[in-house]
Amino acid sequence: SCDNYLAKLKQPKLTQKMFRCADSWITNFENWNVLYCFLSIIVVFVYIILTVLGSFPKFIHPQKLIRMIISGIVQAIIQIICAHIGWYCVVKKEGCCGR
């Protein structure tokens, strides 16, 4: 299931159908979940870049920079895991308890 989700994460969609709920609820959830995860990852990396640029002259120790970058990467991984769990429960298992 991880391969399926990562494949969908590489091609997130934002269509008018998503706003009209024209597809099934599972398809709508899947599309919104993938888009949320994709945008969350982008926000984490933009935050890292802005933080590094904003406090660049203050970096005396490279350990602080490395810690901040690793923290951002860990946060992105946690976002992917949480979004995947939601996708797996709702889309693959058709709800938490199945059918």
Side-chain angles (χ1 to χ4, degrees):
S1 80
C2 289
D3 294 336
N4 293 342
Y5 190 74
L6 291 176
K8 292 184 181 300
L9 194 56
K10 291 177 184 176
Q11 299 175 351
K13 300 181 212 174
L14 182 62
T15 63
Q16 290 181 349
K17 282 178 147 182
M18 291 170 62
F19 291 100
R20 288 186 270 133
C21 298
D23 292 326
S24 70
W25 67 271
I26 292 176
T27 304
N28 281 326
F29 179 85
E30 180 177 55
N31 290 337
W32 281 111
N33 178 277
V34 169
L35 185 63
Y36 164 78
C37 186
F38 181 78
L39 292 176
S40 293
I41 294 167
I42 289 174
V43 167
V44 166
F45 285 107
V46 167
Y47 173 77
I48 290 171
I49 291 169
L50 291 177
T51 303
V52 168
L53 293 176
S55 58
F56 183 69
K58 297 178 188 174
F59 282 123
I60 299 170
H61 302 289
Q63 292 88 4
K64 289 182 182 180
L65 175 63
I66 291 170
R67 239 181 298 159
M68 185 179 359
I69 291 171
I70 290 173
S71 174
I73 292 170
V74 168
Q75 185 176 356
I77 291 170
I78 290 171
Q79 290 282 0
I80 293 170
I81 290 170
C82 290
H84 176 265
I85 289 171
W87 174 82
Y88 180 79
C89 289
V90 173
V91 176
K92 286 294 185 183
K93 293 294 183 180
E94 296 182 6
C96 280
C97 299
R99 294 179 188 173

